[in-house]
Structure formats: C-alpha cells, structure tokens
Amino acid sequence: NKGNVTLSGLTISDTKVTVPGGVNTLLPGDFDDTTFQGTYAITQADIDAGQVFNTATVTGSDPSGNPVTDDDTSTTPLSQTIAIELEKTGVFQDDGDGITDVGDTILYTFKVTNAGNVPLTTLTISDPLFTVAAQLPTLAPGVVDESTFTGTYVLTQTDIDNGLVENTATVTGND
C-alpha cells in the first residue's frame, strides 16, 4: 500500500494464472508478498519466444468504497537450447556373388535428433561420398527422425584395398 489510507478487499487478477486468495486490509506503507502466488506452466510457444510476458492487476477499495487498481508487467527470459544430433549407420550390400568387389554398395541411413528445446527447420545432410537428396522441413524438440535421410555409396577398388570406407556426414538446420 503506497498510499496514506487503508485498503481493503484486495484481489489479484493475472493474464496467465488464477491467483487464489485475497487480503482483507492493508495499512498504509505495508506490503504482502506471501498471500498471492500462482504457478504458470511454460509452453513451447514461450520457449520459442524466449520469454514469458505477463501482466497482473491488483484491485481493492479505499475506506470510502472507491475502487483502487494498479498493474504490473513482468518479462521472464527463458533459455533456448539449440542442439542437434546425427547418427550415421552403413550396411554393406553384396551384389549377390558372395565377395566384396567393385560395384557393391553400402546403404547409409541417418538418424537425426532435435536435442534442444526449440524447433529446427530446413534440415539437410551433407556427405562427401554421395548426395543425400532429402530435406526435412522441420523437427520439433525431442523428436527423432530415422526415415527421411538415406544414401547409397558404390564401392571402388581403393575402398577394397583400404579394407574399409570411412567418412563423416554433417547435419545442418536453422533454429
């Protein structure tokens, strides 16, 4: 109570939560920071925005019964975690002759996980051995995609001479 008269019948309304309770009287210069509490469950839209914007209004009456109101706005910043994970798996595919030779293939599949808390868009995979033709338009937080991206690599004599095929793929996207 920043005024010089006693206030009564104080209640709070809030744009995001129901605030139970009330204060019968509040003397001039007094404050109450324990009676009114509300809990708000953060939404994905809040995380995407990087903040929760909220307004609360206190309403009461002066000794003559006239309404007294005030409001306050708060902005609570929320951290955004941008993280993506890629897992690449290759499976050798023989052409049916029972030996590893030039022309046999390796089928690669890619598992992409949005390990952050914001959606990712325009996901692509680049691989130095072959073209990965697919693109994923969006991937929500916590979602795993194991079916969009594949690619086939055709073995060369150098691969056979080396005894293995090793390479690294990279996934990119936008927050």
Side-chain angles (χ1 to χ4, degrees):
N1 182 349
K2 292 185 176 185
N4 61 1
V5 297
T6 300
L7 300 177
S8 62
L10 297 162
T11 59
I12 293 181
S13 61
D14 189 286
T15 58
K16 299 253 184 229
V17 296
T18 299
V19 182
V23 172
N24 290 332
T25 59
L26 197 59
L27 299 174
D30 281 351
F31 66 91
D32 179 338
D33 63 357
T34 60
T35 301
F36 301 105
Q37 294 181 357
T39 301
Y40 173 71
I42 295 170
T43 67
Q44 185 62 51
D46 297 328
I47 295 169
D48 295 350
Q51 66 184 5
V52 174
F53 180 79
N54 185 29
T55 301
T57 303
V58 62
T59 305
S61 300
D62 69 12
S64 300
N66 297 314
V68 178
T69 64
D70 188 31
D71 59 25
D72 192 33
T73 300
S74 73
T75 302
T76 305
L78 302 174
S79 65
Q80 294 177 319
T81 303
I82 300 153
I84 191 168
E85 296 174 359
L86 175 64
E87 182 180 321
K88 177 181 177 180
T89 304
V91 176
F92 174 75
Q93 297 181 314
D94 184 54
D95 61 6
D97 63 6
I99 60 170
T100 302
D101 53 3
V102 173
D104 286 347
T105 60
I106 300 173
L107 173 63
Y108 287 102
T109 57
F110 300 88
K111 176 180 170 182
V112 180
T113 303
N114 182 343
N117 67 356
V118 294
L120 299 173
T121 61
T122 319
L123 291 108
T124 58
I125 293 178
S126 59
D127 193 301
L129 290 182
F130 54 89
T131 299
V132 181
Q135 179 177 346
L136 187 60
T138 186
L139 192 61
V143 173
V144 177
D145 179 278
E146 296 184 65
S147 62
T148 300
F149 300 105
T150 60
T152 302
Y153 175 70
V154 179
L155 292 178
T156 66
Q157 187 60 50
T158 302
D159 299 326
I160 296 168
D161 294 346
N162 289 336
L164 60 90
V165 175
E166 184 175 357
N167 77 315
T168 301
T170 303
V171 62
T172 58
N174 300 313
D175 63 358

